[in-house]
Amino acid sequence: KAPVSHCLSPQDPAPCLLLSTPSPLSLVKSGGALAPPAQNPTSLVRMLDMALEQKVFGQHLATQVVLKALSAYSRDKQPRKPLVMSFHGWTGTGKSFVSKIIAQNLYQRHEARRRFVHQYDAVLHFPHAEHIKQYKEQLQNWIRGNVSVCPRSLFIFSEMDQMPHGLIDSIMPYLSDREAINGVSYGKAIFLFLNNAGGDKITEVALDHWRRQKGREEIPLTDLQSMLSAEIFNNRNSGFWNSKLIQKNLVDYFIPFLPLEYKHVKECIQEELRYQGHQEDEDLIIKIALAMSDYPSEDRIYSSKGCKTVASKVNLDT
């Protein structure tokens, strides 16, 4: 059996499953519902806006959509449908980082994040496609158990492109617009899907704009979102191949993370140097950023790993 942690006060017997363990599979019994401390929607959006502006580089499209989506979510007192966002882009472009910022701003205390934020890694938790029937049952139990105790739960699914085909459709009833299922309402939950699928298409669009001497700020969001929806639905390695979640329009936002340019990698390096307590060394910053800007091979406009390896490179050179 998976370990559990109290989601309510210590004297309340109702547990809330945590995904810090690799197998949060047993269905919990709810002794009552709990929501995180209410936050002023205006204050929440302002703090989130500030955090995204200061910490996320080169992702104006993604941060704009995230901010608008969570602003609307925070104002809705009784949502019938959970907020569902799917992040797409190359590795190292900020998908996990933005999901972390969302969690930190929605649940500002560490204890609250421990109770309400639940993370699943497709590679770690769903490694064997032949066990999909068992995975479906476990995943349904896990979500139902957590939401029955903690209505404002945040679920983060990483490595969606490694998800066994058909598995994610098992949670379709919980993402639909309805009042409740067997007495449990899912409308206050948030689901984030982090996906490398679609990253190549996003990069093609960005590179085309660059070659036509257009700024990345001119890339139309609506075109990218429509392209992403079709791309992941038809991509066997997206986790959403022929998914009913796409067919029934249950994903509210497809959010593109653009490939990072040399100037964005420099900003990541500067931030990492500050984080590690080093003085800013412009020569070092330029050296690392140039080495990481490797795509396409003839132009070297983007970093194929984004800022993923910045910390290790800073460690190596300082």
Side-chain angles (χ1 to χ4, degrees), residues 128-138 140 167:
H128 306 294
E130 64 271 21
H131 295 161
I132 188 169
K133 184 177 180 180
Q134 179 185 2
Y135 292 156
K136 285 182 177 181
E137 181 180 351
Q138 292 170 346
Q140 290 172 340
L167 176 56

Side-chain angles (χ1 to χ4, degrees), residues 77-98:
K77 296 294 190 294
Q78 294 295 330
R80 287 170 50 91
K81 181 190 180 302
L83 173 61
V84 183
M85 295 188 284
S86 190
F87 295 175
H88 297 268
W90 275 357
T91 184
T93 50
K95 301 183 299 295
S96 296
F97 190 49
V98 170

Side-chain angles (χ1 to χ4, degrees), residues 81-144:
K81 181 190 180 302
L83 173 61
V84 183
M85 295 188 284
S86 190
F87 295 175
H88 297 268
W90 275 357
T91 184
T93 50
K95 301 183 299 295
S96 296
F97 190 49
V98 170
S99 70
K100 181 179 178 181
I101 291 175
I102 291 172
Q104 290 174 338
N105 280 269
L106 285 177
Y107 316 107
Q108 294 171 11
R109 292 179 300 181
H110 175 74
E111 180 65 17
R113 288 195 296 276
R114 195 176 68 86
R115 294 172 177 177
F116 295 101
V117 180
H118 313 286
Q119 297 184 320
Y120 238 151
D121 184 307
V123 175
L124 177 63
H125 296 102
F126 310 118
H128 306 294
E130 64 271 21
H131 295 161
I132 188 169
K133 184 177 180 180
Q134 179 185 2
Y135 292 156
K136 285 182 177 181
E137 181 180 351
Q138 292 170 346
L139 186 55
Q140 290 172 340
N141 288 345
W142 176 64
I143 291 176
R144 184 166 58 244

Side-chain angles (χ1 to χ4, degrees), residues 90-93 260-269 272 284-296 300-314 317:
W90 275 357
T91 184
T93 50
L260 297 182
E261 299 175 3
Y262 167 78
K263 62 182 179 182
H264 305 126
V265 177
K266 283 186 66 178
E267 290 179 300
C268 290
I269 298 167
E272 184 62 30
L284 176 62
I285 293 170
I286 291 173
K287 173 190 172 183
I288 296 175
L290 284 174
M292 293 184 66
S293 301
D294 59 356
Y295 184 88
R300 300 175 68 89
I301 306 303
Y302 307 120
S303 168
S304 61
K305 295 183 177 65
C307 287
K308 190 80 169 182
T309 59
V310 161
S312 61
K313 292 186 180 299
V314 167
D317 289 310

Side-chain angles (χ1 to χ4, degrees), residues 167-298:
L167 176 56
I168 202 62
D169 280 355
S170 66
I171 70 171
M172 184 180 66
Y174 310 136
L175 306 188
S176 302
D177 182 348
R178 60 178 71 190
E179 291 186 356
I181 303 174
N182 296 326
V184 179
S185 175
Y186 297 84
K188 294 181 180 180
I190 299 177
F191 291 81
L192 303 181
F193 301 117
L194 315 186
N195 205 326
N196 292 334
D200 288 346
K201 291 289 186 181
I202 294 170
T203 301
E204 285 178 17
V205 172
L207 189 57
D208 178 65
H209 270 67
W210 179 83
R211 286 174 171 160
R212 289 190 286 135
Q213 298 185 336
K214 292 186 175 182
R216 64 201 277 129
E217 292 77 15
E218 299 178 67
I219 297 174
L221 174 63
T222 52
D223 290 356
L224 277 178
Q225 288 179 318
S226 298
M227 177 272 291
L228 281 174
S229 176
E231 166 68 13
I232 66 171
F233 182 77
N234 294 304
N235 185 343
R236 287 177 175 268
N237 299 313
S238 71
F240 286 110
W241 180 47
N242 289 339
S243 172
K244 293 178 182 177
L245 270 62
I246 310 298
Q247 288 179 324
K248 295 184 178 296
N249 299 309
L250 297 180
V251 178
D252 300 304
Y253 302 95
F254 294 96
I255 302 181
F257 282 71
L258 299 172
L260 297 182
E261 299 175 3
Y262 167 78
K263 62 182 179 182
H264 305 126
V265 177
K266 283 186 66 178
E267 290 179 300
C268 290
I269 298 167
Q270 290 169 338
E271 182 66 24
E272 184 62 30
L273 285 170
R274 285 192 291 268
Y275 177 77
Q276 293 192 19
H278 300 300
Q279 294 291 325
E280 287 193 24
D281 182 335
E282 187 64 18
D283 290 338
L284 176 62
I285 293 170
I286 291 173
K287 173 190 172 183
I288 296 175
L290 284 174
M292 293 184 66
S293 301
D294 59 356
Y295 184 88
S297 57
E298 65 273 17

